[in-house]
Amino acid sequence: MITNDSRLPVAHRTWWKAPMAATLPGLPLLVGELSMFYSEGYTSGIEIGILLGVALLAVAWLLPHRRSMRGLRMMTAGGALALAILPLLYAVLLGVAMASG
């Protein structure tokens, strides 16, 4: 029996680019921040943001490889990267503020 291939979802050929662009700089930051903040023994707001960043990064890799999911994949990868950079940026801004005072 011949099936109609036009209705089957087509895999997007470059689906991996957005998660990879967020994983390369974001994963080392997330692992370093998680090891630094997770050892305190209590859950803080920064730790929840870091865990959310790890979850968003995993979701960016696990989304279906269809072209229609490209926007959602880019948003989750960008959100994961933003949550990875945010604690580091906050620490740098606090250091600048303390040094200028």
Side-chain angles (χ1 to χ4, degrees), residues 34-59:
L34 191 61
S35 67
M36 184 172 30
F37 288 110
Y38 200 68
S39 63
E40 294 176 0
Y42 67 94
T43 304
S44 64
I46 293 175
E47 185 178 323
I48 291 171
I50 293 169
L51 291 174
L52 183 62
V54 171
L56 283 176
L57 195 59
V59 166

Side-chain angles (χ1 to χ4, degrees), residues 47-94:
E47 185 178 323
I48 291 171
I50 293 169
L51 291 174
L52 183 62
V54 171
L56 283 176
L57 195 59
V59 166
W61 280 104
L62 294 176
L63 282 172
H65 303 158
R66 292 192 302 256
R67 189 171 178 87
S68 63
M69 293 290 190
R70 181 175 53 178
L72 185 60
R73 184 176 293 110
M74 288 172 28
M75 285 191 322
T76 56
L81 187 59
L83 286 172
I85 293 174
L86 195 61
L88 182 65
L89 182 66
Y90 182 65
V92 168
L93 288 177
L94 278 176

